[in-house]
Amino acid sequence: MLGLGEDRLRADMNRLLTLLFHQGVLDEQFLQLQQLQDETSPNFIFEVVNIYFNESEKLLRNLRDLLLDREFSDYQRMGVHLNQLIGSSSSIGAKRVSNVCVAFRAASEQNSRPGCLRALEVLEHEYCYLKNRLDEVFHVSKSSN
Amino acid sequence: MGAKSHHMVAVKLNEQLGTKRKYTFINRAWLPKILVMWILLVAFVSRIIYNRMDAENKQRRKEVLVSMCDQRARMLQDQFSVSVNHVHALAVLVSTFHYYKNPSAIDQGTFAEYTARTAFERPLLSGVAYAQRVVHSERDEFERQHGWTIKTMKREPSPLRDEYAPVIFSQETVSYIESLDMMSGEEDHENILRARATGKAVLTSPFRLLGSHHLGVVLTFPVYKLKLPTNPSVKERIDATAGYLGGAFDVESLVENLLGQLAGNQAIVVNVLDITNSSDPLIMYGRQYQDGDMSLKRVSALDFGDPFRKHQMICRYLQKAPTPWTAITTTFLFFVIGLLVGYMIYGAAIHIVKVEDDFHEMQQLKVRAEAADVAKSQFLATVSHEIRTPMNGILGMLALLLDTDMSSTQRDYAQTAQACGKALITLINEVLDRAKIEAGKLELEAVPFDLRSILDDVLSLFSEKSRHKGIELAVFVSNKVPDIVMGDPGRFRQVITNLVGNSVKFTERGHIFVQVHVAEHAKALLNAKSETFLNGGSEGAALSGTCHFKTLSGCEAADDRNSWDTFKHLIADEEFRYNASSQLIGPDDAQNVTLMVCVEDTGIGIPISAQERVFTPFMQADSSTSRNYGGTGIGLSISKCLVELMGGQINFISRPNIGSTFSFTAALRRCEKNVGVDLNKSFSGNLTMALEGLKATVVDEKPVRAAITRYHLKRLGMLVEIVSSIKMAVATSGKNGSVRPKNKWQPDLILVEKDSWISGDNCGLNLRLFDWKQNGRKLKLPTTVLLATNITSVEFDRAKAAGFADTVIMKPLRASRVAACLQQVLGMGKKGQQGKDMLNSSAFLRSLLCGKRILVVDDNRVNRAVAAGALKKFGADVECADSGKAALTLLQLPHNFDACFMDIQMPEMDGFEATRHIRVMESKANEMMTAECTGGTGEKKSEWHLPVLAMTADVIHATYDKCLSCGMDGYVSKPFEEENLYQAVATFFESNPINDER
């Protein structure tokens, strides 16, 4: 690609990330991740985020299954899943997702099923938003490389 | 979380109040009732007292009345009986001389005279008369014999009767009754009959006497013709009766006279009654209806000698009993006193209740205030933490922004923003520190550190500022202070940074001087010094008179004990000790060492009025200070807390417009030498090697400054001599140079203080210096270096012209900097030190971690990937395990891992448990090893101890203690941050210097 285009693409990506920061979707942890990426591991972020998406999708599916089960009562297992999700989210700096998870966990600790369902909705929404945006970012960065 | 904890505090508060709301002994509801009951009781008791006193009064009154009445009755009776006796005598007289004599020896004339002359014997009788008994048959003869007829009382000729009793003899006072028949009066008739029947004196009932209007009684006494037998019958008596002697008692005047003789007669009323007919008492004396006190009377019986008649005397008080004032007043007073006492007790009780109430209220408020304080600290901690997170975001974004292409203006803005953000973060950290200290959550580390290098670091922080202001900034560490001490370097540094920072901020001219001594030593010396100074103070006075103070910069300092006079002694003593060397260090202060750090400045000082508030948080000397100099004023309070945590004290001496001297002590521990050497080497080892053994002459007119310079040079292993002027330097070395001595001082370096050079007024001297240099060319020339706080380019040129080396050593002096400059001047060792100087954390981290094999244990794939990535970036060789069990299998001994990062929260086996298992395995292996090694090859193989670092997402609840108790070596907060990681790794890799690849 032309050097000019590359510059523009980088600017695009910066703008996109800035927007995500601004919205509070991401936090400084993501920056730390970015700093970890260098010549020795050029795709570090991409890999990590991919792992994150895979794991999270699994967890989300589990959560949904658990909640939709009729005679559902295993809030403890749900808490374990949520803790995992919180941990991985804060690791990659997905701030809003991890915040929603905290709320979700609070609802599950109170054994409130409607609260959990609501939280799950929000969580899925946030997750989709994050995934779409990050996909976009990676798409841009891929094409810039 | 904030709300929750607040709720908890409130609940606790309520509980406390609930349990404490008890009253000790007074029931408030009962108080008024008790008061009323008390008043009633007092009234009742007063009533009783009144009654008793009144009764007593009455009793006394009654007794008085009784005695008076009886006395009167007795007297009356006595007088009466005297009169009766006399009448009796008269009767005897009449019978003797009238009847037994024949012819009669008595006629009316004799009788009248006799009675008149003996009337004084009968004061009660108005008169006496003798009536003869005349039976009817003898009447005519009698009338003829006497020449008058018998008349009745009404002065009429007497009608026909059986018997008559005409008066034949009478006292003159009653002569009007002569010839009257006494039997014609009813009372007299009866009297006569009774008298002759009984033979005794008899009395009539009272009636109005003839001739006077007084009440009276008539006494009648029979006179017998014959001598009677000893026990005569009534008939015999009647037959023997010859006549009757009678007398009229004027009872009224009698009693009046009698009473008149007695005292107190006007106070009582006396009645004398004839009560022969008890249903109808007849009044003999006194009025029928009396006024006077009817309530109390006394009746005394009277015996007038007539058994048929009964008399009595009744006495009364004339006036009613007087009001008993004594009783009333006594009672009233008693009542009032009782009332007052009751009221006082009531008041006291009310007061106690009120005080108790107040007390409870205060307690409540106190609990609330304490709760509020705790809440405040928690709030501060929470809020500070919450602010930190977005601030990190801002800083991160700014860093990101600075990486982009920007115009210089934009870059400037962004950099300013970043600087501000960093300042804010610093402030927040300070607040967080303070809150942590208040909550008692701050714990000090105990790691070995090099005190001198820390001081150098602090100085380097402020060197730019001080140079800009033209302030002399210097540090001096006593030789007695051990090279390496155990303590919390971060906190120690924080305190010093704070104090020096303040000093720099508030000082415009003069100097800032940091000294570190061993506390006991310095204290002892200072005390001794101040004494000698008092004794022989003339020298000091003379010196201060010249306005040149012997301090670092010549300006006056607040604590004048720190001037050269003392300092000299400190150093002198030190050198002695230094020479006497190590045997002195040994036993006396084996492990602990208390350091005293002084930071002296010549700034604006602290106003006297503000001095006591200095250590209060957010309190600056006055509000104008914060306007002029900025800052929050929290620093000193944190410093105070930290110093106290380090087991020391902080205090200061300050004089406005002269300066302040802050000094604090800190209790640290000595550290074994071998660890220390290693640490020291790592810092400036190769620098000192090159300079060791060089000789230097320091030219400085100010002894304190010279001593500091010497201290820094000595740290580099150089030998130093001090002279006060260039002239002297030239004199000593120049001559020696020419004579070429064997062991005389031959300096390799001459360091000249800028002041000494300029103030020497010495172009000439410079020339001579130059000359000397020229002359001695064949010798190894000493290099001359200028020392300066700040220097203008003109001065610099002049210096060069005067023969100084190209490099000027800029103050503040630091060992590493001095070393670098000297090496540059001496033209040696330019090789690799540039990079060393720029030892930033990430490079250091890289150097620490490079090639290390590290195990990352985390069940979360993403976290694992991130941690691994971060560690790989610093060159570590990373392996991962996804559970505690997997980690344990990997860590079966022997293994070749250098460290392990362990997630705490994991399913099945959490980090704590896994670590415990690891430690158990290790200790077993170590036991076996020591068992093997008892033979001892001398090579002490290191024991198995894998550094395990906890990874936790939860910074606030990072239970550091729990980590340690499970055998972990430290912890890292989970989203890896470079600095955090650096700190954690640095501490344990420093204390475990395993290999030397760097």
Side-chain angles (χ1 to χ4, degrees):
Chain A
M1 268 218 173
L2 289 170
L4 193 75
E6 193 176 318
D7 271 355
R8 215 199 56 208
L9 279 172
R10 179 155 289 159
D12 266 0
M13 189 172 116
N14 273 340
R15 190 178 44 75
L16 202 56
L17 280 177
T18 313
L19 179 73
L20 288 180
F21 277 109
H22 188 68
Q23 289 171 336
V25 174
L26 291 179
D27 65 9
E28 74 266 29
Q29 187 57 33
F30 193 79
L31 291 181
Q32 301 266 357
L33 281 189
Q34 275 193 321
Q35 280 170 17
L36 290 182
Q37 178 164 306
D38 54 15
E39 295 80 33
T40 54
S41 51
N43 276 335
F44 179 69
I45 291 198
F46 183 69
E47 282 161 12
V48 169
V49 170
N50 256 347
I51 297 173
Y52 171 70
F53 284 146
N54 289 340
E55 289 284 307
S56 304
E57 256 150 50
K58 222 182 292 168
L59 286 170
L60 278 174
R61 210 177 312 126
N62 283 346
L63 283 172
R64 178 157 279 277
D65 288 351
L66 273 173
L67 263 176
L68 291 183
D69 194 353
R70 285 257 161 234
E71 58 268 9
F72 158 73
S73 60
D74 200 354
Y75 285 104
Q76 213 157 7
R77 230 174 97 205
M78 199 152 78
V80 173
H81 286 319
L82 281 169
N83 271 337
Q84 289 243 357
L85 195 51
I86 290 171
S88 49
S89 301
S90 57
S91 266
I92 68 148
K95 194 180 178 193
R96 269 192 6 206
V97 171
S98 99
N99 282 347
V100 173
C101 285
V102 170
F104 197 166
R105 189 173 57 183
S108 82
E109 273 164 5
Q110 287 168 352
N111 293 359
S112 138
R113 190 166 180 185
C116 287
L117 281 170
R118 219 170 18 247
L120 183 63
E121 296 281 323
V122 181
L123 180 57
E124 278 174 346
H125 172 256
E126 281 298 337
Y127 175 74
C128 285
Y129 184 78
L130 177 75
K131 187 168 159 53
N132 291 340
R133 284 305 157 120
L134 283 184
D135 278 346
E136 205 176 324
V137 170
F138 289 127
H139 181 73
V140 170
S141 63
K142 273 266 168 60
S143 54
S144 81
N145 283 339
Chain B
M1 193 203 91
K4 199 171 171 186
S5 71
H6 189 267
H7 180 67
M8 266 168 56
V9 168
V11 167
K12 211 159 72 183
L13 188 136
N14 282 343
E15 274 171 11
Q16 278 180 355
L17 289 184
T19 52
K20 279 188 183 167
R21 196 141 187 105
K22 277 177 196 161
Y23 295 99
T24 46
F25 66 97
I26 297 172
N27 187 339
R28 58 191 57 220
W30 280 94
L31 270 181
K33 288 181 192 170
I34 289 174
L35 180 66
V36 168
M37 278 170 67
W38 172 255
I39 290 173
L40 288 177
L41 180 71
V42 167
F44 182 67
V45 172
S46 341
R47 176 79 204 170
I48 288 173
I49 290 174
Y50 175 78
N51 282 352
R52 189 162 291 172
M53 289 183 77
D54 198 37
E56 226 166 70
N57 274 350
K58 278 187 178 149
Q59 181 68 28
R60 207 177 310 127
R61 195 170 145 86
K62 194 173 166 188
E63 275 165 14
V64 169
L65 183 69
V66 166
S67 71
M68 281 169 82
C69 197
D70 287 353
Q71 187 190 11
R72 279 160 179 71
R74 208 167 46 245
M75 282 181 68
L76 186 64
Q77 201 174 309
D78 287 352
Q79 296 224 353
F80 200 87
S81 57
V82 167
S83 299
V84 168
N85 283 345
H86 209 265
V87 172
H88 194 168
L90 272 178
V92 174
L93 178 86
V94 170
S95 69
T96 309
F97 290 101
H98 189 58
Y99 293 105
Y100 299 166
K101 293 263 184 186
N102 210 0
S104 165
I106 300 175
D107 58 359
Q108 164 61 30
T110 321
F111 187 84
E113 185 167 352
Y114 179 77
T115 50
R117 285 173 67 175
T118 58
F120 68 92
E121 296 271 19
R122 310 176 298 274
L124 305 180
L125 291 172
S126 52
V128 290
Y130 176 72
Q132 191 173 356
R133 180 185 180 206
V134 179
V135 289
H136 186 65
S137 57
E138 294 168 354
R139 176 175 171 174
D140 294 336
E141 191 192 340
F142 179 81
E143 281 178 347
R144 199 180 58 241
Q145 193 180 340
H146 279 86
W148 37 262
T149 54
I150 298 172
K151 294 172 197 142
T152 63
M153 286 292 194
K154 300 196 170 93
R155 301 198 181 262
E156 289 155 8
S158 173
L160 199 73
R161 289 178 183 243
D162 283 349
E163 250 184 282
Y164 309 93
V167 174
I168 53 172
F169 306 136
S170 63
Q171 201 178 341
E172 265 177 283
T173 50
V174 290
S175 56
Y176 52 88
I177 62 165
E178 194 171 330
S179 80
L180 296 186
D181 180 9
M182 284 297 122
M183 299 278 261
S184 62
E186 200 181 335
E187 285 95 352
D188 289 328
H189 178 80
E190 217 175 291
N191 236 18
I192 286 164
L193 292 185
R194 257 196 318 127
R196 74 183 182 199
T198 57
K200 287 183 178 167
V202 295
L203 295 170
T204 60
S205 57
F207 60 95
R208 297 232 164 250
L209 294 176
L210 285 175
S212 80
H213 298 293
H214 290 174
L215 277 174
V217 291
V218 172
L219 172 80
T220 308
F221 212 86
V223 178
Y224 297 102
K225 284 186 271 211
L226 309 169
K227 286 209 171 118
L228 288 171
T230 45
N231 255 335
S233 64
V234 175
K235 178 115 176 70
E236 280 169 338
R237 282 179 193 277
I238 294 169
D239 289 344
T241 304
Y244 321 98
L245 195 66
F249 277 101
D250 181 352
V251 179
E252 215 167 327
S253 51
L254 165 71
V255 175
E256 214 119 285
N257 280 341
L258 185 69
L259 295 183
Q261 293 168 17
L262 290 169
N265 61 326
Q266 62 271 52
I268 57 173
V269 178
V270 178
N271 280 1
V272 182
L273 301 176
D274 182 335
I275 52 159
T276 311
N277 183 354
S278 60
S279 63
D280 177 25
L282 299 169
I283 290 175
M284 289 167 73
Y285 173 77
R287 276 167 286 173
Q288 179 82 47
Y289 301 104
Q290 297 274 358
D291 41 348
D293 187 4
M294 302 302 282
S295 63
L296 186 65
K297 66 175 184 183
R298 166 67 187 179
V299 178
S300 304
L302 287 173
D303 181 12
F304 288 150
D306 180 356
F308 181 72
R309 297 223 167 254
K310 287 183 184 124
H311 299 90
Q312 64 181 23
M313 178 182 271
I314 294 177
C315 298
R316 283 199 186 84
Y317 279 106
L318 186 60
Q319 274 150 359
K320 292 211 173 204
T323 332
W325 285 114
T326 0
I328 289 176
T329 45
T330 309
T331 314
F332 183 70
L333 280 178
F334 177 81
F335 182 71
V336 166
I337 288 170
L339 210 64
L340 284 179
V341 167
Y343 185 74
M344 273 161 60
I345 292 170
Y346 178 73
I350 291 273
H351 189 71
I352 288 170
V353 167
K354 194 170 155 1
V355 168
E356 242 175 21
D357 277 1
D358 288 355
F359 172 70
H360 285 299
E361 200 180 337
M362 291 300 163
Q363 239 175 1
Q364 198 175 332
L365 290 177
K366 182 173 162 266
V367 169
R368 255 189 232 164
E370 279 166 358
D373 195 44
V374 170
K376 187 206 78 180
S377 292
Q378 280 180 348
F379 172 77
L380 265 183
T382 316
V383 165
S384 304
H385 187 74
E386 293 297 317
I387 295 174
R388 258 200 325 185
T389 317
M391 271 312 292
N392 282 333
I394 293 173
L395 286 179
M397 288 316 299
L398 282 169
L400 203 68
L401 186 64
L402 282 170
D403 283 346
T404 58
D405 288 334
M406 283 187 294
S407 72
S408 61
T409 327
Q410 283 169 333
R411 183 166 292 276
D412 184 36
Y413 291 166
Q415 273 166 349
T416 313
Q418 199 178 26
C420 294
K422 276 179 183 160
L424 183 54
I425 282 278
T426 318
L427 173 63
I428 290 165
N429 284 342
E430 278 181 348
V431 171
L432 196 59
D433 268 355
R434 164 110 208 143
K436 260 193 203 161
I437 293 169
E438 268 179 10
K441 280 181 188 157
L442 191 92
E443 280 167 7
L444 293 182
E445 296 181 83
V447 294
F449 67 96
D450 182 357
L451 191 97
R452 289 172 177 82
S453 70
I454 279 194
L455 283 168
D456 282 350
D457 286 354
V458 174
L459 239 61
S460 71
L461 259 179
F462 294 103
S463 58
E464 191 62 37
K465 251 187 204 168
S466 69
R467 215 174 289 152
H468 191 252
K469 281 185 164 182
I471 310 167
E472 194 108 16
L473 180 60
V475 64
F476 177 86
V477 181
S478 155
N479 272 327
K480 289 195 68 210
V481 176
D483 289 338
I484 306 294
V485 288
M486 292 275 278
D488 192 328
R491 299 305 177 182
F492 195 76
R493 179 203 188 108
Q494 193 178 351
V495 176
I496 294 179
T497 310
N498 197 322
L499 294 179
V500 175
N502 271 348
S503 291
V504 169
K505 202 194 282 180
F506 295 118
T507 305
E508 297 299 334
R509 57 171 187 90
H511 68 268
I512 293 159
F513 183 24
V514 183
Q515 300 176 63
V516 184
H517 298 285
V518 176
E520 301 89 29
H521 179 54
K523 221 172 268 172
L525 211 80
L526 282 181
N527 291 341
K529 185 60 208 155
S530 64
E531 270 169 31
T532 55
F533 192 75
L534 279 178
N535 294 337
S538 59
E539 179 198 15
L543 280 169
S544 61
T546 62
C547 196
H548 246 9
F549 294 91
K550 290 203 165 184
T551 58
L552 181 58
S553 67
C555 295
E556 192 181 2
D559 188 357
D560 43 14
R561 288 185 308 176
N562 273 349
S563 67
W564 169 242
D565 296 316
T566 316
F567 197 64
K568 183 167 62 185
H569 284 264
L570 273 173
I571 296 171
D573 194 53
E574 209 158 74
E575 251 160 25
F576 168 69
R577 292 288 284 265
Y578 195 62
N579 294 339
S581 187
S582 55
Q583 77 262 30
L584 279 172
I585 303 169
D588 56 342
D589 30 21
Q591 268 300 314
N592 293 325
V593 55
T594 307
L595 298 184
M596 188 170 90
V597 183
C598 291
V599 180
E600 170 188 302
D601 69 47
T602 57
I604 57 170
I606 302 165
I608 308 273
S609 58
Q611 286 193 359
E612 58 197 27
R613 300 199 306 261
V614 160
F615 293 114
T616 320
F618 301 110
M619 193 68 83
Q620 283 189 333
D622 57 59
S623 52
S624 66
T625 312
S626 53
R627 277 203 297 279
N628 292 341
Y629 299 96
T632 53
I634 197 176
L636 277 176
S637 88
I638 292 179
S639 300
K640 185 173 189 318
C641 294
L642 287 177
V643 167
E644 276 162 9
L645 274 177
M646 286 192 273
Q649 292 167 323
I650 187 165
N651 46 40
F652 66 95
I653 296 172
S654 181
R655 286 194 281 165
N657 296 322
I658 287 172
S660 319
T661 303
F662 279 83
S663 54
F664 72 90
T665 55
L668 302 170
R669 281 193 296 134
R670 291 178 191 283
C671 194
E672 305 86 71
K673 278 274 162 156
N674 42 353
V675 182
V677 169
D678 194 74
L679 204 68
N680 207 15
K681 282 268 166 60
S682 76
F683 176 69
S684 56
N686 55 353
L687 294 184
T688 58
M689 297 295 262
L691 295 168
E692 232 166 66
L694 286 181
K695 294 173 185 158
T697 300
V698 174
V699 180
D700 194 343
E701 57 194 357
K702 287 177 186 153
V704 178
R705 193 164 55 186
I708 293 161
T709 313
R710 183 172 61 177
Y711 151 72
H712 284 288
L713 294 178
K714 269 191 170 171
R715 278 181 68 195
L716 297 174
M718 294 166 73
L719 304 172
V720 186
E721 199 185 60
I722 296 173
V723 292
S724 64
S725 70
I726 295 176
K727 205 190 265 180
M728 277 179 68
V730 171
T732 51
S733 4
K735 270 179 209 157
N736 294 338
S738 56
V739 172
R740 182 71 197 241
K742 289 160 293 236
N743 55 354
K744 286 287 178 170
W745 184 257
Q746 176 64 48
D748 300 308
L749 271 170
I750 299 179
L751 296 158
V752 183
E753 188 68 34
K754 193 183 107 188
D755 291 352
S756 303
W757 170 55
I758 290 175
S759 71
D761 141 79
N762 42 28
C763 296
L765 266 179
N766 280 332
L767 279 172
R768 272 190 59 188
L769 177 68
F770 202 69
D771 288 346
W772 168 65
K773 284 180 83 175
Q774 300 270 349
N775 290 342
R777 182 157 288 171
K778 43 200 147 353
L779 301 172
K780 192 187 171 200
L781 284 182
T783 319
T784 326
V785 183
L786 197 60
L787 290 167
T789 312
N790 53 356
I791 191 162
T792 58
S793 54
V794 180
E795 283 170 335
F796 186 59
D797 289 345
R798 266 183 67 199
K800 261 206 263 184
F804 287 103
D806 286 352
T807 310
V808 175
I809 299 181
M810 294 299 284
K811 295 200 188 171
L813 295 180
R814 276 183 294 140
S816 59
R817 191 181 173 82
V818 172
C821 288
L822 290 182
Q823 277 178 342
Q824 197 180 340
V825 170
L826 297 174
M828 57 196 217
K830 278 214 171 181
K831 291 154 271 174
Q833 75 222 33
Q834 249 82 351
K836 283 283 180 194
D837 229 86
M838 306 273 291
L839 209 66
N840 71 11
S841 69
S842 95
F844 186 57
L845 201 57
R846 174 174 278 276
S847 70
L848 278 181
L849 291 175
C850 189
K852 296 270 162 66
R853 273 178 61 79
I854 294 178
L855 179 64
V856 172
V857 187
D858 197 329
D859 62 317
N860 192 319
R861 273 185 70 192
V862 180
N863 289 354
R864 219 155 55 212
V866 172
L871 291 171
K872 268 178 193 158
K873 191 191 169 196
F874 298 117
D877 186 4
V878 182
E879 201 149 323
C880 295
D882 63 351
S883 74
K885 281 188 178 159
L888 284 183
T889 53
L890 277 173
L891 287 173
Q892 288 296 334
L893 293 170
H895 60 71
N896 57 349
F897 289 105
D898 293 313
C900 172
F901 284 78
M902 178 84 73
D903 186 28
I904 288 180
Q905 285 182 320
M906 284 187 293
E908 290 180 66
M909 182 187 284
D910 66 8
F912 295 130
E913 205 185 332
T915 312
R916 252 180 249 128
H917 281 291
I918 293 171
R919 292 291 177 241
V920 168
M921 279 172 9
E922 279 174 354
S923 67
K924 274 182 192 160
N926 286 338
E927 267 170 37
M928 282 171 64
M929 203 161 71
T930 46
E932 282 169 18
C933 283
T934 39
T937 50
E939 180 209 3
K940 195 187 173 194
K941 203 182 172 190
S942 63
E943 295 193 328
W944 285 110
H945 183 93
L946 179 71
V948 177
L949 291 167
M951 292 192 292
T952 164
D954 223 352
V955 187
I956 299 174
H957 295 131
T959 45
Y960 187 58
D961 286 339
K962 197 169 176 196
C963 291
L964 289 186
S965 70
C966 292
M968 292 183 174
D969 299 86
Y971 74 89
V972 223
S973 61
K974 203 184 275 164
F976 273 9
E977 282 170 29
E978 203 171 89
E979 195 176 336
N980 197 336
L981 188 64
Y982 163 70
Q983 277 175 0
V985 171
T987 48
F988 79 83
F989 275 131
E990 255 176 21
S991 53
N992 284 338
I994 301 165
N995 54 357
D996 291 312
E997 47 172 312
R998 205 165 279 172

